[in-house]
């Protein structure tokens, strides 16, 4: 067959298939409702008394009157040229169709006789057309019923489908507004570029999650022996330690799709939405199997269910949690969907969520140590211009307790500090200034402080520095300043030593260091100030912890009222008697008095050095550990590399509650 013949051949047309779509019903309903609104354009007929209608009749304003005998009702149509006369009766909006007025009469009204009498008084050209009838039509009733029926039908069609997909269906499109559809973000395996090489530090956590990667890569190795792939792993750790980054690295290393969603995304005001989103999320995950589902801040939905239904209960949140428990413990054991969740409040999670078969592993993501901080700094320093003499190890030593997010913030703040000073490279001092700003806040040199207040602040901080330097178990001092920062009028920086256990003697030394500022004020001025608010708060908490938690009280004995489950918050009673409470208060008071007297003796025995340190502080406003070494000699007790979280003692403004800079 030639090309021409081929073109002239009759073409077969595909039959047009019409498929039913629920949206057509919504369009028809909306069209019907709109037609009823627009069809009733203009003002409605106004009710009028028969006396007024009679006046209009005699004035020649009426064109037609339709009287319904069995309803004792008359419908009046005004002449078009006289209609503007009655504009005020309709509120300035003249009706577009008749009747214009409606009047009601009694059963004794003789319509024929009355209408003939009125027409006899008018010339023939102005006489009114009269129609008298009985109302036998049901259309008026239907007119009143159609509108609410349309609304009811629209409500039924719209919300029946939404309720089906949110409350009782297994997944589904999520309702008419997609309210029940999962809001999780899907990252395909080809788009995930993060691997374990991009995660600095976290050695212990990475070793544990490597097993999960091996499960996803080689599931047959485990299932062939009858083993089951773990359902999930819970990443527990402080904020900013890299839990989300670690989960992404697992997905990138295993080369599988990655679903990410926040725990708060399941909680909505509509009943059944959270459970529906959980079902839809797991339905999508099973379709992409094997894959990883990451739920960030799972404590928003996985909080322990209250035993007392009258207090702090939330049926919607509990229903969502129940659905999550069901999905994680379904029939498909080897579906290839692994749940990773992150939280910093593992103590408040429901026990049913933590059992084996749901979250089989708890992976603790701790704050980085010295070596890990160096690696994290190397990651965040890649794009920065550093000075030639930059010492990375020095910076890592002076940022104990910093998380990965904190280190990233330090690097960025150091770059901004160098830019403010018009530097071409970032040096060590820029990083130290960034650390000081993050911990203590921005310097407020313009703040007006009287000489008396400045002297009190200097002696306060000198008291902290003296006591911490002379006690072997107190945290080593790094820096003291009386320059106002943030809400603090003065601050002291410490580099805590690495300790896995804390003894009673060590805690007492720490408490003496805390109260050193208040005792110094009492020695010099004779009057305590409100600047020790932060110190006294921490001192009191430590004293009560020693007595009630750690069993370090001689009179109370080795008792502990610590609640590791966190369920005591729902109880209205204390776990001890009133007599025991009085004994606790007495023990705490005696402990603090002993610490006060011990600190006072230390300062009195070293008063000369203490006053010299305060004088230097008044002169320079900032002193370092070298200045204390010149006055008191080499400090005794500094042994190991700092690791724990840094502590800042602050002298705060009297009217402002201090912010703990830990």
């Amino acid at each position: 067959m030639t090309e021409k013949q081929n073109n002239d051949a009759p073409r077969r047309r595909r039959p047009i298939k019409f498929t039913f779509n629920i949206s057509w019903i919504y369009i028809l309903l909306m069209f019907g409702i709109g037609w009823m609104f627009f069809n009733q354009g203009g003002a409605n007929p106004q009710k009028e008394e028969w006396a007024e209608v009679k006046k209009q009749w005699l004035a020649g304003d009426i064109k037609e009157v339709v009287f319904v005998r069995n309803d004792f009702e008359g419908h009046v149509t005004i002449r078009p040229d006289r209609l503007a006369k009655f504009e005020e009766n309709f509120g300035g909006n003249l009706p577009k169709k008749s009747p214009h007025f409606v009047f009601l009469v009694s059963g004794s009204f003789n319509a024929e006789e009355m209408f003939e009498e009125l027409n006899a008084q008018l010339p023939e050209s102005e006489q009114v057309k009269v129609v008298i009838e009985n109302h036998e039509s049901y259309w008026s009733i239907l007119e009143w019923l159609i509108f609410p029926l349309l609304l009811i039908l629209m409500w039924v069609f719209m919300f029946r489908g939404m309720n089906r997909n949110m409350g009782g269906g297994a997944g589904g499109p999520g309702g008419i507004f997609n309210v029940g559809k999962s809001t999780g973000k899907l990252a395909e395996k080809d788009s995930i570029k993060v691997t374990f090489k991009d995660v600095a530090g976290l050695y212990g956590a990475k070793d544990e999650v490597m097993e999960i990667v091996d499960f996803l890569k080689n599931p047959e190795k485990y299932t062939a022996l009858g083993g089951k792939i773990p359902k999930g792993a819970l990443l527990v750790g402080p904020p900013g330690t890299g839990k989300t980054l670690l989960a992404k690295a697992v997905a990138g290393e295993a080369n599988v799709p990655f679903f990410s969603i926040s725990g708060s995304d399941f909680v909505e005001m509509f009943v059944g939405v959270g459970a529906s989103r959980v079902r839809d999320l797991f339905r999508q995950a099973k379709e992409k199997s094997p894959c990883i589902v990451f739920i960030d801040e799972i404590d928003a939905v996985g909080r322990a269910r209250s035993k007392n239904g009258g207090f702090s209960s939330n049926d919607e949140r509990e229903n969502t949690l129940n659905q999550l428990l069901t999905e994680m413990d379904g029939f498909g054991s080897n579906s290839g969907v692994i749940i990773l969740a992150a939280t910093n409040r593992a103590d408040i999670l429901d026990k049913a969520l933590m059992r084996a078969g749901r979250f089989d592993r708890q992976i603790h993501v701790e704050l980085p140590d010295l070596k890990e901080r160096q690696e994290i700094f190397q990651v965040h320093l890649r794009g920065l211009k550093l000075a030639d003499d930059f010492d990375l190890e020095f910076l890592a030593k002076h940022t104990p307790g910093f998380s990965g997010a904190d280190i990233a913030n330090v690097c960025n703040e150091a770059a901004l500090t160098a830019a403010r000073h018009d530097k071409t490279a970032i040096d060590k001092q820029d990083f130290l200034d960034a650390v000081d700003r993050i911990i203590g806040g921005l310097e407020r040199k313009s703040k007006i402080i009287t000489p008396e207040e400045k002297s009190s602040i200097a002696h306060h901080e000198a008291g902290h520095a003296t006591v911490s330097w002379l006690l072997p178990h107190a945290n080593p001092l790094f820096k003291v300043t009386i320059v106002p920062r943030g809400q603090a009028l003065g601050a002291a920086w410490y580099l805590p030593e690495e300790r896995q256990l804390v003894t009673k003697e060590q805690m007492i030394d720490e408490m003496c260091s805390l109260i050193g500022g208040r005792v110094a004020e009492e020695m010099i001025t004779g009057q305590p100030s409100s600047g020790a608010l932060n110190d006294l708060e921490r001192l009191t908490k430590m004293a009560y912890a020693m007595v009630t938690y750690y069993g370090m009280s001689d009179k109370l004995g080795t008792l502990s009222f610590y609640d590791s489950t966190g369920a005591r918050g729902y109880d209205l009673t204390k776990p001890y008697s009133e007599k025991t409470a009085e004994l606790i208060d007495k023990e705490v008071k005696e402990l603090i008095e002993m610490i006060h007297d011990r600190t006072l003796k230390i300062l009195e025995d070293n008063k000369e050095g203490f006053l010299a340190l305060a004088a230097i502080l008044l002169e320079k406003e900032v002193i370092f550990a070298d200045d204390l070494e010149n006055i008191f000699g080499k400090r005794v007790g500094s042994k190991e590399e700092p690791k724990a979280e840094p502590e800042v003692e602050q002298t705060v403004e009297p009217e402002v509650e201090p912010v703990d800079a830990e």
Side-chain angles (χ1 to χ4, degrees):
M1 185 180 291
T2 62
E3 183 179 356
K4 184 177 179 180
Q5 291 175 334
N6 189 25
N7 293 333
D8 294 338
R11 298 179 180 177
R12 298 178 61 184
R13 295 184 178 179
R14 295 181 180 179
I16 300 175
K17 297 181 179 180
F18 293 94
T19 57
F20 177 76
N21 194 334
I22 194 70
S23 301
W24 296 351
I25 298 178
Y26 304 144
I27 294 172
L28 291 175
L29 290 175
M30 295 300 295
F31 180 79
I33 294 172
W35 176 83
M36 293 189 64
F37 273 114
F38 288 107
N39 196 43
Q40 301 290 335
N44 295 323
Q46 300 294 313
K47 291 185 178 181
E48 198 72 272
E49 297 292 334
W50 165 245
E52 293 295 327
V53 174
K54 189 175 179 180
K55 293 179 181 179
Q56 298 170 6
W57 194 309
L58 296 175
D61 300 330
I62 299 176
K63 177 183 178 182
E64 182 183 19
V65 173
V66 178
F67 186 76
V68 183
R69 194 188 301 274
N70 54 350
D71 291 338
F72 307 105
E73 182 182 80
H75 300 176
V76 179
T77 302
I78 304 295
R79 298 180 183 274
D81 56 338
R82 306 286 183 92
L83 192 59
K85 182 179 176 181
F86 304 95
E87 186 175 358
E88 294 183 0
N89 296 57
F90 301 97
N93 186 18
L94 293 175
K96 297 180 179 180
K97 56 186 249 183
S98 61
H100 303 123
F101 294 101
V102 177
F103 65 92
L104 298 175
V105 295
S106 63
S108 60
F109 184 80
N110 192 339
E112 292 89 344
E113 182 179 346
M114 180 61 67
F115 295 160
E116 288 180 4
E117 182 181 342
L118 293 174
N119 270 336
Q121 302 179 35
L122 296 174
E124 187 175 353
S125 59
E126 296 183 2
Q127 289 184 356
V128 179
K129 179 182 178 182
V130 177
V131 179
I132 300 176
E133 61 185 19
N134 289 324
H135 204 182
E136 297 179 355
S137 176
Y138 298 99
W139 176 247
S140 60
I141 301 175
L142 293 176
E143 277 186 328
W144 289 102
L145 292 176
I146 284 177
F147 183 71
L149 284 175
L150 287 175
L151 288 179
I152 293 172
L153 287 174
M154 187 174 180
W155 179 273
V156 169
F157 276 105
M158 289 174 62
F159 289 93
R160 186 180 65 176
M162 188 170 66
N163 186 54
R164 180 179 64 251
N165 292 305
M166 290 193 304
I176 184 172
F177 300 121
N178 286 330
V179 181
K181 192 175 181 63
S182 171
T183 57
K185 299 179 180 178
L186 171 63
E188 296 290 348
K189 57 184 181 180
D190 297 333
S191 63
I192 303 175
K193 306 299 182 183
V194 181
T195 62
F196 287 145
K197 296 180 180 179
D198 303 308
V199 182
L202 305 179
Y203 298 123
K206 283 196 290 188
D207 291 339
E208 292 194 52
V209 297
M210 278 298 294
E211 293 185 9
I212 299 176
V213 175
D214 195 30
F215 285 138
L216 292 170
K217 284 185 175 181
N218 307 303
E220 298 83 5
K221 183 171 67 173
Y222 302 92
T223 56
L225 299 174
K228 297 180 180 179
I229 298 177
K231 290 293 184 63
L234 184 65
L235 304 177
V236 183
T241 51
K243 298 185 292 293
T244 305
L245 181 63
L246 188 61
K248 286 184 179 179
V250 172
E253 199 72 30
N255 195 25
V256 295
F258 181 79
F259 289 88
S260 62
I261 192 170
S262 175
S264 59
D265 291 338
F266 294 115
V267 183
E268 289 282 354
M269 63 178 291
F270 300 109
V271 177
V273 172
S276 176
R277 288 180 176 177
V278 171
R279 285 191 296 271
D280 188 67
L281 174 64
F282 279 84
R283 178 186 60 82
Q284 296 180 39
K286 290 174 184 177
E287 293 175 356
K288 297 285 186 178
S289 174
C291 66
I292 291 176
V293 176
F294 177 66
I295 305 175
D296 199 9
E297 306 296 342
I298 195 174
D299 52 277
V301 68
R303 188 183 296 266
R305 290 164 287 188
S306 175
K307 297 180 181 179
N308 192 343
F311 296 92
S312 65
S313 66
N314 188 329
D315 292 337
E316 172 61 12
R317 183 183 60 79
E318 292 187 2
N319 290 339
T320 305
L321 175 58
N322 293 335
Q323 186 63 44
L324 180 61
L325 296 175
T326 304
E327 293 290 344
M328 291 189 66
D329 198 22
F331 292 102
S333 302
N334 298 317
S335 59
V337 179
I338 293 182
I339 313 298
L340 293 182
T343 181
N344 58 341
R345 299 290 308 278
D347 56 313
I348 65 173
L349 294 180
D350 197 275
K351 292 182 179 179
L353 192 65
M354 303 294 292
R355 74 160 176 83
R358 291 192 174 118
F359 285 114
D360 302 283
R361 288 170 170 78
Q362 288 192 33
I363 301 174
H364 293 272
V365 185
E366 304 292 344
L367 292 171
D369 56 16
L370 177 62
K371 184 179 179 182
E372 291 174 336
R373 290 198 300 273
Q374 292 183 20
E375 294 183 3
I376 297 173
F377 267 112
Q378 289 177 352
V379 172
H380 294 290
L381 293 175
R382 290 174 182 172
L384 303 181
K385 295 182 179 179
L386 304 176
D388 297 333
D389 59 345
F390 182 77
D391 189 359
L392 181 62
E393 185 178 358
F394 172 84
L395 189 59
K397 289 181 179 179
H398 287 78
T399 52
F402 277 49
S403 65
D406 295 331
I407 293 175
N409 192 21
V410 168
C411 295
N412 183 64
E413 190 65 38
L416 298 178
T417 303
R420 280 194 293 268
H421 292 88
D422 298 326
K423 296 181 179 180
T424 57
I426 309 171
D427 55 22
K428 182 175 68 175
Q429 188 59 44
D430 295 326
F431 281 95
L432 293 177
D433 293 341
V435 172
D436 294 345
R437 182 170 183 176
I438 292 173
I439 296 178
L442 184 65
E443 288 187 353
R444 296 187 298 167
K445 295 183 179 181
S446 60
K447 188 174 183 63
I448 300 175
I449 301 176
T450 62
E452 292 80 8
E453 290 177 338
K454 189 174 183 180
S455 176
S456 178
I457 296 170
H459 286 90
H460 180 103
E461 299 300 337
H464 282 306
T466 301
V467 176
S468 65
W469 190 266
L470 296 175
L471 292 177
H473 300 297
N475 291 328
L477 185 84
F478 170 63
K479 177 183 177 181
V480 182
T481 179
I482 60 173
V483 178
R485 283 182 174 272
Q487 294 182 339
L489 298 177
W493 278 262
Y494 299 90
L495 297 179
E497 296 180 356
E498 181 179 5
R499 293 170 182 166
Q500 303 299 328
L501 297 174
V502 183
T503 64
K504 184 178 180 179
E505 184 181 4
Q506 291 171 343
M507 294 189 70
I508 290 176
D509 284 359
E510 288 292 332
M511 295 168 73
C512 290
S513 176
L514 282 173
I515 205 173
R518 165 59 68 89
V519 176
E521 291 178 6
E522 295 175 353
M523 283 182 55
I524 302 302
T525 64
Q527 295 289 334
S529 71
S530 59
L533 176 60
N534 186 28
D535 305 327
L536 297 179
E537 179 188 3
R538 297 172 60 189
L539 175 69
T540 306
K541 289 181 178 179
M542 289 182 67
Y544 271 101
M546 289 178 64
V547 176
T548 59
Y549 292 164
Y550 303 133
M552 297 180 179
S553 170
D554 296 332
K555 294 181 180 180
L556 201 63
T558 54
L559 295 179
S560 178
F561 302 105
Y562 180 73
D563 180 26
S564 60
T565 63
R568 190 175 295 164
Y570 301 110
D571 298 338
L572 301 179
T573 58
K574 297 179 180 179
Y576 44 81
S577 64
E578 291 296 329
K579 186 177 180 179
T580 304
E582 294 178 0
L583 181 60
I584 291 173
D585 293 339
K586 184 179 179 181
E587 277 286 272
V588 170
K589 186 177 180 181
E590 292 178 357
L591 177 62
I592 292 178
E593 288 178 352
M594 183 271 294
I595 290 172
H596 179 277
D597 296 339
R598 185 190 181 200
T599 306
L600 180 61
K601 187 177 184 306
I602 293 173
L603 290 177
E604 288 179 345
D605 295 343
N606 300 273
K607 188 174 182 179
E608 184 178 351
F610 159 64
L611 295 176
L613 184 63
I616 297 175
L617 194 56
L618 280 170
E619 179 184 354
K620 296 183 178 180
E621 293 188 339
V622 179
I623 59 175
F624 295 90
D626 296 339
D627 298 302
L628 278 86
E629 188 173 347
N630 294 332
I631 296 175
F632 299 105
K634 191 173 180 61
R635 184 180 184 273
V636 180
S638 182
K639 300 178 182 178
E640 302 166 2
E641 204 64 54
K643 179 182 178 182
E645 190 171 351
E647 299 180 1
V648 180
E649 307 292 345
Q650 299 181 347
T651 305
V652 299
E653 301 178 34
E655 70 275 7
V656 181
E657 185 177 352
V659 177
D660 197 347
E662 293 187 357

